[in-house]
């Protein structure tokens, strides 16, 4: 399933005007979850279109015309005990506010962000729009497990002509989501494209950043790769990110390295969590520049991280026609440990000793 445009009935909308945010929850047309699944494809599409359309919002605006917008991505996970919990939404709230400030918008209050995310999931769950925990997910380390995807995003007020947004909307929608990457392929290729430049918006979760990512990822998929990797814009030497995820290399020396944050790299929440978990396990973790040459010659394991990716292994990287295989093409021991730990915490199989999970139901 991966991402699906099967938006759940309850959405959230807030509008900034005259110095304050005015918020509301909107319940769009729906049938029961089981009734929707039994509908014809045409009827389901029509129902989804009715949910995704808001007649009272401007079609021509700085978002639709110039890509001036930012968003977040977080998940609510079905728990082994039958509940539902969101992974570290406070960190997404902080990053969303920073992104809006970076785009010169009035920042959305973190308290409102948390309330909106929790309440939309809760209201949709009451209508039975939620996944239920399955013990069979444990067999593949939750790599194909379901969750609720929470997507907060901004839309500008109406306008045309290159300009900034002073009175944006903030929307929060929920959709179903499962595995992001296709099973059976874990090869990557270094892209010739440039994702972000110094003094740009690479550190912001801006919608416009993902145009290059989408193009590069599409090229990688067409050539038989699961993922693409971006190098820095100036020297074309240092590794920065994957198509929509941070990246880690476990070196033969026993050091786990990941590119240091700057204005061209998104500060991932899963990235920060993995760094903390690895250090708890006694692993030396370093945030610094990582050249493509060092990665290909010194790394014994490689994995990417993100809300969608979790901790997903890359077993090979192709750079200028040279393919380097990590750990004989198998998922490495540390990668497996990190993946299983973070997924175990998220789905409630392992204890949440860090209070990262915020209970919804």
């Amino acid at each position: 399933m991966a991402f699906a445009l099967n938006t759940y009935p309850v959405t959230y909308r807030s509008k900034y005007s005259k110095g304050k945010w005015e918020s509301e929850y909107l319940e769009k047309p729906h049938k029961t979850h089981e009734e929707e699944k039994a509908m014809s494809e045409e009827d389901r599409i029509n129902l989804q279109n009715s949910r995704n359309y808001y007649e009272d919002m401007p079609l021509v605006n700085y978002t639709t015309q110039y890509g001036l917008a930012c968003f977040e991505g977080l998940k609510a996970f079905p728990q082994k005990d039958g509940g539902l919990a969101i992974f570290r939404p406070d960190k997404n709230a902080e990053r969303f506010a920073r992104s809006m400030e970076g785009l010169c918008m009035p920042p959305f209050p973190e308290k409102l962000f948390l309330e909106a995310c929790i309440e939309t999931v809760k209201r949709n769950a009451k209508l039975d729009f939620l996944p239920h925990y399955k013990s069979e997910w444990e067999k593949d380390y939750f790599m194909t497990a379901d969750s609720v995807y929470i997507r907060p995003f901004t839309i500008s007020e109406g306008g045309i002509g290159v300009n900034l947004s002073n009175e944006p909307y903030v929307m929060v929608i929920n959709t179903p989501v499962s595995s992001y990457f296709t099973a059976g392929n874990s090869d990557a290729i270094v892209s010739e494209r440039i994702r972000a430049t110094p003094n740009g918006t690479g550190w912001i979760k801006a919608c416009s950043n993902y145009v290059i990512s989408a193009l590069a990822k599409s090229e990688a998929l067409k050539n038989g790769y699961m993922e693409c990797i971006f190098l820095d814009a100036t020297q074309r030497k240092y590794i920065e990110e994957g198509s929509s995820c941070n990246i880690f290399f476990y070196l033969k020396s026993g050091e786990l390295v990941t590119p240091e944050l700057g204005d061209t790299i998104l500060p991932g929440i899963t990235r920060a969590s993995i760094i903390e978990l690895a250090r708890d396990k006694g692993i030396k973790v370093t945030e610094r520049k990582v050249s493509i040459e060092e990665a290909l010659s010194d790394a014994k394991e490689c994995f990417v991280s993100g809300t969608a990716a979790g901790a997903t292994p890359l077993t090979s990287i192709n750079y200028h026609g040279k393919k380097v295989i990590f750990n004989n093409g198998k998922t490495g021991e540390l990668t497996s440990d990190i993946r299983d730990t973070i997924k175990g915490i998220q789905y409630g199989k392992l204890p949440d000793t860090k209070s990262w999970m915020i209970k919804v139901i």
Side-chain angles (χ1 to χ4, degrees):
M1 176 174 59
F3 291 111
L5 193 58
N6 300 326
T7 53
Y8 292 166
V10 178
T11 63
Y12 170 89
R13 179 170 65 179
S14 189
K15 178 73 165 66
Y16 188 79
S17 181
K18 298 179 181 178
K20 62 179 181 179
W21 292 92
E22 297 289 343
S23 304
E24 60 182 333
Y25 291 92
L26 306 166
E27 187 172 320
K28 301 294 278 184
H30 69 280
K31 297 179 180 294
T32 67
H33 194 42
E34 291 303 315
E35 287 173 337
E36 285 197 14
K37 288 198 296 185
M39 292 171 67
S40 70
E41 181 66 19
E42 181 179 357
D43 287 342
R44 276 199 303 271
I45 291 173
N46 290 335
L47 183 60
Q48 282 301 315
N49 287 340
S50 70
R51 285 189 197 151
N52 296 328
Y53 183 62
Y54 293 89
E55 291 181 325
D56 58 339
M57 293 181 69
L59 174 64
V60 179
N61 58 58
Y62 307 128
T63 300
T64 60
Q65 304 304 299
Y66 312 110
L68 184 70
C70 59
F71 67 95
E72 273 299 323
L74 58 163
K75 289 181 179 179
F77 296 87
Q79 301 295 286
K80 193 174 177 69
D81 65 5
L84 196 65
I86 304 175
F87 181 69
R88 307 194 77 177
D90 54 319
K91 296 300 180 183
N92 292 92
E94 293 173 8
R95 190 172 65 181
F96 193 57
R98 289 197 306 271
S99 289
M100 293 183 73
E101 287 180 323
L103 296 177
C104 296
M105 296 180 190
F108 193 55
E110 294 174 25
K111 182 180 179 182
L112 283 183
F113 181 100
L114 291 171
E115 290 175 355
C117 291
I118 293 169
E119 189 64 22
T120 52
V121 173
K122 185 179 293 185
R123 292 188 184 208
N124 281 310
K126 286 182 179 178
L127 298 174
D128 199 33
F129 284 82
L130 77 165
H132 298 280
Y133 190 95
K134 299 177 182 178
S135 57
E136 63 199 57
W137 292 341
E138 299 176 14
K139 297 177 182 177
D140 66 356
Y141 312 103
F142 300 98
M143 295 303 290
T144 57
D146 299 331
S147 57
V148 177
Y149 192 75
I150 307 166
R151 170 52 61 82
F153 59 97
T154 68
I155 298 177
S156 87
E157 67 274 33
I160 194 165
V162 178
N163 210 335
L164 298 176
S165 176
N166 297 311
E167 295 187 336
Y169 295 86
V170 167
M171 306 288 296
V172 179
I173 64 167
N174 296 169
T175 71
V177 67
S178 59
S179 177
Y180 179 60
F181 288 114
T182 303
N185 183 358
S186 54
D187 299 322
I189 187 170
V190 176
S191 176
E192 292 299 314
R193 294 184 181 270
I194 295 172
R195 175 191 170 273
T197 59
N199 302 311
T201 61
W203 62 276
I204 299 171
K205 202 165 176 67
C207 296
S208 55
N209 292 346
Y210 288 79
V211 176
I212 293 296
S213 292
L215 293 172
K217 179 68 177 283
S218 175
E219 291 164 354
L221 291 173
K222 287 179 181 178
N223 287 291
Y225 298 93
M226 178 187 78
E227 180 60 305
C228 64
I229 294 170
F230 293 107
L231 301 182
D232 71 287
T234 53
Q235 298 185 59
R236 307 296 293 147
K237 174 181 178 181
Y238 296 103
I239 293 171
E240 295 209 322
E241 290 191 14
S243 64
S244 57
C245 43
N246 298 118
I247 191 165
F248 288 81
F249 297 93
Y250 188 37
L251 304 183
K252 297 168 185 175
S253 65
E255 176 188 16
L256 181 64
V257 297
T258 189
E260 63 188 8
L261 296 179
D263 63 2
T264 60
I265 295 178
L266 186 72
I269 292 155
T270 306
R271 173 189 181 276
S273 304
I274 287 172
I275 289 171
E276 189 170 338
L277 290 173
R279 285 174 175 160
D280 288 348
K281 296 174 183 293
I283 302 295
K284 178 184 177 183
V285 184
T286 308
E287 300 173 71
R288 60 173 173 81
K289 290 183 180 296
V290 183
S291 71
I292 183 65
E293 290 81 6
E294 179 186 18
L296 296 182
S297 62
D298 295 347
K300 58 181 177 180
E301 297 181 29
C302 174
F303 62 90
V304 290
S305 70
T307 298
T312 300
L314 297 181
T315 53
S316 76
I317 293 177
N318 188 309
Y319 177 57
H320 288 168
K322 177 184 177 182
K323 182 178 181 179
V324 172
I325 299 174
F326 305 108
N327 199 48
N328 296 317
K330 300 178 180 178
T331 302
E333 184 177 344
L334 178 63
T335 303
S336 297
D337 192 15
I338 292 291
R339 176 198 62 195
D340 298 350
T341 300
I342 200 162
K343 288 291 186 182
I345 292 170
Q346 289 173 333
Y347 283 93
K349 183 184 178 185
L350 297 178
D352 177 25
T353 59
K354 297 179 179 293
S355 300
W356 282 348
M357 305 303 296
I358 304 300
K359 191 173 180 63
V360 176
I361 58 174

